[in-house]
Amino acid sequence: MKNNNMVLPSLKDARMRRNLNIEFVKYKLEDKYSNVGKGKTYYIYTYGCQGNEADSEIMAGILEGVGYTKAKDPLESDLVLLNTCAVRENAEQRIWGVLGQLKGRKREHPEMLIGICGCMPQEEKATNKIINSYEFVDIIFGTHNRHNLPKLIYEAYETNKKVVEVISNEGMILEGAPKVRESTYKAWVTIMYGCDEFCTYCIVPYTRGKERSRKKEEIINEVKELVSKGYKEITLLGQNVNAYGKDLDDGSYTFGDLLYDLDKTGIERIGYTSPHPRDMDLKAMEAHRDCKSVLKHVHFPVQSGNDRVLKIMNRKYTREEYLAKIRKLHELVPDISITTDIIVGFPGETYEEFKDTVTLCDEAGFEGAFTFIYSPREGTPAARMEDPISLEEKHKWFDELVEHTNQGYLNGHMKFIGKVVSVLVDGESKSGDGMMCGYSEHYKLTHFKSDDKSLVGKIVKVKIKEAKTWFMIGDLVNE
Ligand code: 5AD
Ligand code: SF4
């Protein structure tokens, strides 16, 4: 939708899945914008999923490419970007809070630019609220417009007016944009964008657009380059990673094929998030057995353990089909660790139906779970469904579920007592008691005694001696 100097979002357009040709675009910076940040500083606040973290690394790269340097203090910087999340109401509440803080700063320093990007601007309601109630925001752009950042900044300076650019329906893949990665040994590698699943509670297919895969050559080259720079671990990103490749050529090259090919690049560890249970095929599961680098962990979002609820969520699998895949994973890799996402209090869910989710947790043997109370998202089908259960009641169900999932975390840690695990070291542990920490190949947070900072970014062996709910403790093993 176009309105004066504003390109505004439309949920109706975002819902469309036209047969758009996917355009593979190489990032190109116009000379006109190449110094727009010279001598200036930036700060990016990142909320939500790993996809946003990866996008922020690209935006940082683009900003540094036009002369910006990173500020230590957001309130002292010339440009502040809020890379937002729209998946649940509370994620949005935090953004309104940060905007409140920035308002005072902008009053004292009107030359400071404030931009909002990511998923929230893709929602009509949020963008209207920003335009009408947060007039000090200078730039609003969505998930499809980040490569235009230098132009948007330039226009904001030139016109001194609010610049809004939010495209709702996109079939584009950007390659070759510069990145400033947060870590020197762990990297996000986006393999696909968007989502076509339309789970009835979820706003993501509207905010992130049509499912589209990067070319395998681009991904493999990116990983080879990471290996040559000394990176140890990659996490493949996508809203439904195992739909990878369905939109490319004849669709015969799958996510499983990609795992096998990436294993050959020499990268030491490969993780991914998130797969959709329906699309998890045998080849992807076998990669956990056959590929040394593929972690012995699957984050496998189930959402509910009740067939009626799964159906009205539009998840397209049953409890039994889900459990069959878990059994297969365990058959292939007996000690594989499985974690999940669960929504409590979906509209119309009864207590008996919720109890099916609790029993599923035990049956599936989840070793961790992200649990969420259902949050209505305007424009999604679930937001129009009858929802008679009070929030207070949902909180009680939630607490009941969390007792089970916490036990699952502990069980998952206990099974490693006496065993030696490989840990990619992240740094000092937060407890600050001479411990360091990192994640094992089953993606378990592991603490061990050491003050050797040179271990950061290296893979070490640790013998586990103690299990807690949130982490394991062990001793370094000298090889
Ligand atoms: N309410 C609560 N949780 C949600 N999720 C997605 N949409 C909603 C919503 N409207 C959860 C799902 C998903 C995770 C990323 O966020 O569990 O897997
Ligand atoms: Fe949302 Fe479902 Fe797509 Fe995941 S698969 S992003 S939950 S619509």
Side-chain angles (χ1 to χ4, degrees):
M1 207 186 294
K2 199 154 167 89
N3 170 3
N4 302 328
N5 63 331
M6 299 188 184
V7 183
L8 295 164
S10 149
L11 282 176
K12 197 161 148 265
D13 282 355
R15 199 174 301 133
M16 307 275 254
R17 287 296 182 266
R18 283 171 275 190
N19 262 343
L20 285 179
N21 276 338
I22 309 278
E23 221 190 318
F24 293 89
V25 177
K26 278 267 171 235
Y27 177 72
K28 197 168 161 287
L29 176 66
E30 276 185 51
D31 286 348
K32 191 171 159 190
Y33 311 129
S34 61
N35 279 321
V36 75
K38 198 165 172 216
K40 297 193 173 80
T41 58
Y42 75 95
Y43 190 91
I44 307 177
Y45 287 92
T46 307
Y47 300 90
C49 67
Q50 292 94 337
N52 266 10
E53 287 182 35
D55 280 352
S56 286
E57 292 186 345
I58 291 180
M59 289 191 289
I62 291 177
L63 291 174
E64 296 194 10
V66 295
Y68 278 100
T69 50
K70 188 173 173 180
K72 285 202 177 65
D73 179 352
L75 296 179
E76 294 299 326
S77 71
D78 298 302
L79 169 69
V80 176
L81 289 181
L82 273 66
N83 190 4
T84 63
C85 169
V87 83
R88 284 172 294 276
E89 175 71 26
N90 55 4
E92 299 201 353
Q93 289 307 341
R94 287 166 66 194
I95 304 296
W96 305 126
V98 176
L99 278 176
Q101 283 169 16
L102 289 172
K103 186 176 182 178
R105 183 67 192 167
K106 174 85 178 179
R107 204 178 296 129
E108 288 161 29
H109 293 273
E111 73 289 354
M112 175 191 214
L113 279 188
I114 298 179
I116 299 199
C117 56
C119 283
M120 262 169 85
Q122 298 289 148
E123 300 176 288
E124 284 164 57
K125 196 172 157 195
T127 294
N128 288 336
K129 180 165 169 180
I130 301 164
I131 292 173
N132 297 323
S133 311
Y134 295 85
E135 70 295 338
F136 58 91
V137 173
D138 304 283
I139 305 173
I140 306 173
F141 61 104
T143 53
H144 307 299
N145 309 69
R146 52 181 157 61
H147 60 291
N148 277 341
L149 191 48
K151 170 178 154 268
L152 304 177
I153 295 170
Y154 181 89
E155 284 174 6
Y157 280 129
E158 282 292 296
T159 63
N160 227 343
K161 281 202 186 118
K162 198 185 289 299
V163 182
V164 184
E165 194 177 278
V166 188
I167 299 168
S168 297
N169 197 313
E170 256 291 74
M172 188 262 262
I173 287 199
L174 179 71
E175 292 293 355
K179 274 183 204 151
V180 177
R181 296 196 190 262
E182 284 285 317
S183 162
T184 51
Y185 56 92
K186 296 205 276 202
W188 309 119
V189 176
T190 303
I191 61 165
M192 47 129 23
Y193 297 92
C195 182
D196 286 348
E197 290 299 328
F198 289 97
C199 301
T200 52
Y201 49 81
C202 188
I203 193 75
V204 169
Y206 307 82
T207 61
R208 295 244 162 207
K210 184 181 159 70
E211 223 160 68
R212 51 209 192 278
S213 306
R214 287 178 71 198
K215 289 187 177 150
K216 71 169 190 200
E217 295 78 13
E218 298 278 1
I219 300 170
I220 294 171
N221 284 341
E222 181 174 346
V223 175
K224 281 184 179 160
E225 198 186 318
L226 289 165
V227 172
S228 73
K229 288 181 178 161
Y231 278 80
K232 297 282 191 312
E233 180 180 289
I234 53 165
T235 305
L236 307 177
L237 298 181
Q239 300 302 333
N240 172 8
V241 281
N242 36 25
Y244 174 78
K246 287 186 176 172
D247 56 318
L248 289 176
D249 307 322
D250 63 356
S252 61
Y253 187 86
T254 64
F255 178 61
D257 293 316
L258 184 66
L259 288 176
Y260 280 88
D261 280 344
L262 291 176
D263 184 52
K264 293 182 204 133
T265 60
I267 191 79
E268 296 205 40
R269 287 176 160 206
I270 304 177
Y272 57 86
T273 191
S274 285
H276 189 293
R278 188 211 43 202
D279 290 334
M280 181 64 120
D281 63 11
L282 187 59
K283 186 147 198 184
M285 292 198 256
E286 284 174 344
H288 285 274
R289 177 196 60 193
D290 298 340
C291 302
K292 203 169 142 272
S293 61
V294 176
L295 290 173
K296 309 272 174 254
H297 166 241
V298 184
H299 184 66
F300 207 40
V302 69
Q303 314 300 355
S304 165
N306 175 271
D307 284 345
R308 191 192 73 86
V309 176
L310 285 170
K311 195 161 176 64
I312 53 175
M313 284 178 162
N314 193 28
R315 290 293 288 177
K316 306 178 198 100
Y317 54 82
T318 62
R319 173 192 177 103
E320 187 42 41
E321 284 163 354
Y322 179 87
L323 283 169
K325 294 207 175 173
I326 299 255
R327 284 194 293 270
K328 187 76 205 171
L329 281 163
H330 277 294
E331 187 189 311
L332 294 166
V333 184
D335 67 348
I336 200 159
S337 152
I338 303 200
T339 56
T340 198
D341 288 348
I342 294 170
I343 297 178
V344 175
F346 186 79
E349 184 177 35
T350 64
Y351 182 66
E352 285 67 37
E353 289 169 338
F354 158 75
K355 281 296 235 184
D356 285 341
T357 303
V358 176
T359 59
L360 177 94
C361 285
D362 298 337
E363 229 173 291
F366 292 134
E367 296 182 9
F370 296 123
T371 45
F372 310 102
I373 290 184
Y374 168 72
S375 168
R377 306 283 63 214
E378 191 168 296
T380 60
R384 296 189 289 273
M385 295 178 190
E386 291 272 317
D387 191 1
I389 305 293
S390 69
L391 198 55
E392 197 190 350
E393 186 64 16
K394 290 184 185 184
H395 274 282
K396 284 194 202 141
W397 299 3
F398 182 87
D399 293 344
E400 187 180 333
L401 178 69
V402 167
E403 266 181 45
H404 279 257
T405 54
N406 284 356
Q407 185 61 43
Y409 276 101
L410 184 61
N411 295 346
H413 292 145
M414 295 215 312
K415 68 184 194 193
F416 288 98
I417 290 182
K419 297 205 170 121
V420 175
V421 299
S422 300
V423 176
L424 175 55
V425 183
D426 280 323
E428 275 177 87
S429 76
K430 286 200 188 102
S431 50
D433 48 3
M435 304 292 272
M436 294 186 76
C437 65
Y439 284 86
S440 72
E441 66 272 51
H442 295 80
Y443 224 68
K444 308 283 181 197
L445 181 58
T446 308
H447 290 220
F448 58 90
K449 196 146 206 90
S450 175
D451 55 6
D452 183 357
K453 304 282 177 326
S454 74
L455 294 181
V456 174
K458 294 196 177 126
I459 295 179
V460 297
K461 298 271 183 226
V462 176
K463 185 165 184 187
I464 303 304
K465 57 180 185 191
E466 214 182 317
K468 303 273 189 199
T469 301
W470 306 121
F471 54 90
M472 328 193 275
I473 305 171
D475 293 320
L476 271 178
V477 176
N478 292 321
E479 287 174 281

